[in-house]
Amino acid sequence: MTYFLAQSRRIQWLGEKLPNFPSELEIIIDFAPEDSFGVRGSAPRTTIKLGTRAQINLDANEGVTFIEGELIDELSCEFQVNELSGMWRGNVLTIIVLVSSMEDVRRIILSANHMLPATLSFHLKIFVWIRKFGAQIDNCRFNVEAVDNRSHFMVASTEINQSYSIEAAQDWVSLGAHSRRLVVAMYYFRQALRLEAIQPDTQSMTAEVVLNLCKAVEAIFPGSRDAIRQRAMKIGVNLELLEKRIIPLLLIRNEFDVAHAALTPLQTGQKVSLEEFTSSATQHVHQLLSFVVKGERDGMIKFPQISEDLDKYKERLLSRIAQYTAD
């Protein structure tokens, strides 16, 4: 899902003139983080020049580290792959290739948009994204713009957030060992929120968001889907929420490349439907967790104790891992 929900882009013509074919297509892409290409601008820094000294700074309040040091020299090289010629100047890649139709243009642009961030990230071992994507054909200029990048934000007031903040402090005091499932669910939900907020291209994290939301659900409702249904109905969970929002989310986790790789691309309509459903998944899982938290707080819901001990298989696996790291 991470690959097939990559950032969508559209061709936006600048002006009214349309190109003639065949013509040369010139693509100009600015990549980030800039310092991986020898250009200032990235914050925080990701790459330090080989053979030079670097300073690692720690903000112990947040537990965040950042580095300072010399930039690598700016990239300056050219290459040829079949009929395509390319040139790197810093973080800017220029590509020139002969095209015979707008279908050729779309195919090459979509391929560059999907493939280059992945291949660059793999080889540079740094997360790489597109900062700007432009092109021109036969003196006709256009931008290749990101579209449908879904964002999430809260609408609140001081009074609302004061109330929630007090509830959070009360939960900290009252949730003990008997509520460990709820605490674990909150941690997975928190991780989903973190992944959902990563920019640019928030939708590329959809698979990881779905995975953590499903973990949050299964922390409080372990077992098969039928077991989840039985437990949820027993404590009074809204059945429409369960059947239309929670169970399908678990199925998405199982059937698409959330836990496993997927090699078959989604069609446009399928991709849109999946994005629309998963974009509201956080809200619906929060609705479920809120119901359970309130029920536990009021004494209406009780959870079975979680074992303090790992099962024997996991103990053996960790023992072997410790041996491997010691070798």
Side-chain angles (χ1 to χ4, degrees):
M1 188 184 298
T2 302
Y3 171 72
F4 296 118
L5 293 186
Q7 191 176 53
S8 299
R9 289 182 178 267
R10 67 182 173 197
I11 297 174
Q12 184 68 41
W13 292 102
L14 304 177
E16 298 181 357
K17 182 181 177 183
L18 296 177
N20 298 310
F21 294 103
S23 292
E24 280 191 343
L25 168 65
E26 182 182 35
I27 295 175
I28 303 173
I29 310 176
D30 293 28
F31 289 96
E34 290 87 347
D35 70 327
S36 291
F37 303 89
V39 177
R40 294 194 181 278
S42 300
R45 289 283 303 279
T46 66
T47 304
I48 296 297
K49 186 174 183 179
L50 180 67
T52 64
R53 297 178 64 86
Q55 180 175 328
I56 301 176
N57 302 298
L58 168 66
D59 181 343
N61 292 311
E62 289 191 67
V64 176
T65 60
F66 56 96
I67 58 174
E68 295 179 354
E70 188 174 342
L71 284 171
I72 65 172
D73 295 333
E74 185 174 302
L75 271 62
S76 181
C77 56
E78 299 178 5
F79 61 92
Q80 185 82 27
V81 182
N82 298 327
E83 303 301 318
L84 181 150
S85 61
M87 176 178 65
W88 281 105
R89 292 293 182 267
N91 64 314
V92 179
L93 172 62
T94 301
I95 298 170
I96 297 176
V97 61
L98 185 66
V99 291
S100 58
S101 66
M102 277 305 301
E103 183 59 33
D104 279 352
V105 173
R106 292 189 182 94
R107 175 180 55 81
I108 293 169
I109 284 174
L110 287 175
S111 178
N113 179 57
H114 281 75
M115 290 297 298
L116 282 171
T119 57
L120 283 166
S121 297
F122 175 76
H123 287 284
L124 297 178
K125 298 180 284 294
I126 291 291
F127 176 75
V128 175
W129 68 95
I130 293 174
R131 182 82 76 184
K132 184 179 179 182
F133 196 143
Q136 63 179 20
I137 314 171
D138 190 29
N139 293 322
C140 303
R141 295 176 55 249
F142 56 92
N143 285 334
V144 185
E145 301 174 346
V147 295
D148 298 329
N149 200 31
R150 303 171 188 272
S151 60
H152 299 265
F153 56 89
M154 295 303 300
V155 177
S157 66
T158 301
E159 291 75 18
I160 289 172
N161 278 4
Q162 282 179 170
S163 175
Y164 287 154
S165 299
I166 291 171
E167 284 187 36
Q170 290 171 338
D171 284 344
W172 163 58
V173 175
S174 62
L175 294 177
H178 62 286
S179 306
R180 187 178 300 169
R181 288 186 181 276
L182 269 180
V183 174
V184 171
M186 288 180 180
Y187 260 88
Y188 281 129
F189 183 81
R190 173 178 178 261
Q191 184 69 3
L193 292 177
R194 176 70 181 100
L195 293 166
E196 195 173 55
I198 292 176
Q199 296 200 64
D201 192 12
T202 55
Q203 70 192 41
S204 68
M205 301 302 296
T206 299
E208 290 73 17
V209 171
V210 168
L211 179 60
N212 280 275
L213 290 176
C214 288
K215 288 179 179 179
V217 171
E218 292 182 337
I220 55 175
F221 296 119
S224 67
R225 290 192 295 277
D226 284 340
I228 293 173
R229 287 186 175 99
Q230 292 174 11
R231 173 67 173 159
M233 286 189 290
K234 185 177 180 180
I235 64 176
V237 171
N238 182 286
L239 293 183
E240 184 174 5
L241 172 68
L242 183 68
E243 294 295 342
K244 291 187 177 181
R245 297 299 179 177
I246 303 303
I247 296 298
L249 190 66
L250 298 173
L251 290 171
I252 290 172
R253 188 272 312 272
N254 293 343
E255 300 299 331
F256 292 92
D257 70 326
V258 175
H260 304 283
L263 303 179
T264 305
L266 299 175
Q267 297 178 2
T268 301
Q270 295 170 330
K271 182 173 180 286
V272 169
S273 295
L274 196 57
E275 288 174 350
E276 288 180 350
F277 183 88
T278 54
S279 67
S280 60
T282 304
Q283 171 189 342
H284 294 118
V285 171
H286 183 268
Q287 186 177 343
L288 174 67
L289 295 181
S290 296
F291 175 85
V292 176
V293 168
K294 184 178 186 304
E296 202 273 349
R297 187 188 297 140
D298 295 342
M300 303 300 294
I301 299 175
K302 296 187 181 299
F303 295 98
Q305 288 286 346
I306 299 176
S307 173
E308 297 286 340
D309 301 319
L310 287 175
D311 63 52
K312 297 300 181 183
Y313 172 78
K314 291 179 180 177
E315 285 187 353
R316 290 195 298 270
L317 175 59
L318 290 174
S319 178
R320 288 198 299 272
I321 289 173
Q323 292 176 1
Y324 300 152
T325 56
D327 290 344

